Amino acid sequence: MIVNKSLDLSHPVILNKIEEKAVSALNNQLGSMNSENKESFLIQQKEALWLLQNQKEYLLPEGRYTLTNQWECIEGPFHKEVILAQLIVAVSCKEYKTDSITEGLLMHLLQISYLNAVREYIKVVMFPGLYAYYFKEKAPFITTYYGPGLFEQPLKTMRSMYDAVGAEQIGVTINENSLKPCSSFIGSLYVLKEPVAEEMPCKRCKAKIGCEYCMIRKAR
């Protein structure tokens, strides 16, 4: 069974939840409004709010997903005996061009915040419902995102995942091991028969606070 569809994020309730998370993440990235950087913080916050209000088409990601129990063609992190289903997700924001370094940075932070908010929405809200609808049962255990470059997954899996999800239909292109636009993501969620027992490879990573890309915070 394979279900391959475009991701619909148009419902106002969904949009509000995603925007709330994106704005919260942006404020965390801008830092605190202490006495040393108060003026800079307020300027950046004002510019970011303007972008939020006036550049919606560059912020909310487009997406596609493939829900399948036929994963043999894509190299994955688990033995196929424990996998019940795989959800391949591709999301991408439009390329935003500007001569302003500050505006470009703020737009990048906003786009990443939106991408992460959408990914969280898919994992927590959308995927369990999809699985129950198509497989007529409750998902016992849903993993975090795995994919090219995440948790030591080989980058060579990007092409097969790109093809499987139809990422070209949302304007994403692939060049060897990179995607364009730059604010794009491809990864997989898995439904497993039981929780993951082994340690995630990133827990051995030398990074101090976790990875923004795989959304793991203070994993060690």
Side-chain angles (χ1 to χ4, degrees), residues 26-66:
L26 175 72
N27 287 332
N28 289 334
Q29 290 168 326
L30 290 179
S32 60
M33 189 174 63
N34 56 42
S35 57
E36 295 180 359
N37 67 357
K38 181 177 180 179
E39 184 176 355
S40 174
F41 177 89
L42 290 174
I43 292 173
Q44 291 187 83
Q45 188 181 57
K46 183 178 179 180
E47 291 190 35
L49 289 174
W50 184 91
L51 290 170
L52 274 169
Q53 295 166 2
N54 294 277
Q55 303 295 344
K56 294 287 187 181
E57 64 176 304
Y58 293 97
L59 293 175
L60 185 65
E62 292 185 82
R64 289 188 61 80
Y65 67 87
T66 292

Side-chain angles (χ1 to χ4, degrees), residues 17-132:
K17 288 182 178 180
I18 290 172
E19 184 161 303
E20 285 177 4
K21 290 184 178 297
V23 171
S24 175
L26 175 72
N27 287 332
N28 289 334
Q29 290 168 326
L30 290 179
S32 60
M33 189 174 63
N34 56 42
S35 57
E36 295 180 359
N37 67 357
K38 181 177 180 179
E39 184 176 355
S40 174
F41 177 89
L42 290 174
I43 292 173
Q44 291 187 83
Q45 188 181 57
K46 183 178 179 180
E47 291 190 35
L49 289 174
W50 184 91
L51 290 170
L52 274 169
Q53 295 166 2
N54 294 277
Q55 303 295 344
K56 294 287 187 181
E57 64 176 304
Y58 293 97
L59 293 175
L60 185 65
E62 292 185 82
R64 289 188 61 80
Y65 67 87
T66 292
L67 175 61
T68 177
N69 57 2
Q70 301 174 25
W71 48 83
E72 290 83 356
C73 63
I74 298 176
E75 183 176 345
F78 307 106
H79 296 296
K80 63 181 182 179
E81 291 79 11
V82 303
I83 303 174
L84 296 176
Q86 176 185 16
L87 184 79
I88 306 172
V89 176
V91 288
S92 178
C93 293
K94 292 182 179 179
E95 200 75 49
Y96 185 79
K97 296 181 180 180
T98 176
D99 293 330
S100 169
I101 295 177
T102 300
E103 186 176 313
L105 173 62
L106 289 173
M107 178 58 77
H108 174 72
L109 293 177
L110 279 167
Q111 288 184 330
I112 295 301
S113 297
Y114 267 83
L115 285 174
N116 286 342
V118 168
R119 287 164 56 188
E120 183 179 351
Y121 165 77
I122 293 170
K123 173 176 167 49
V124 176
V125 179
M126 178 183 163
F127 188 19
L130 278 175
Y131 181 83

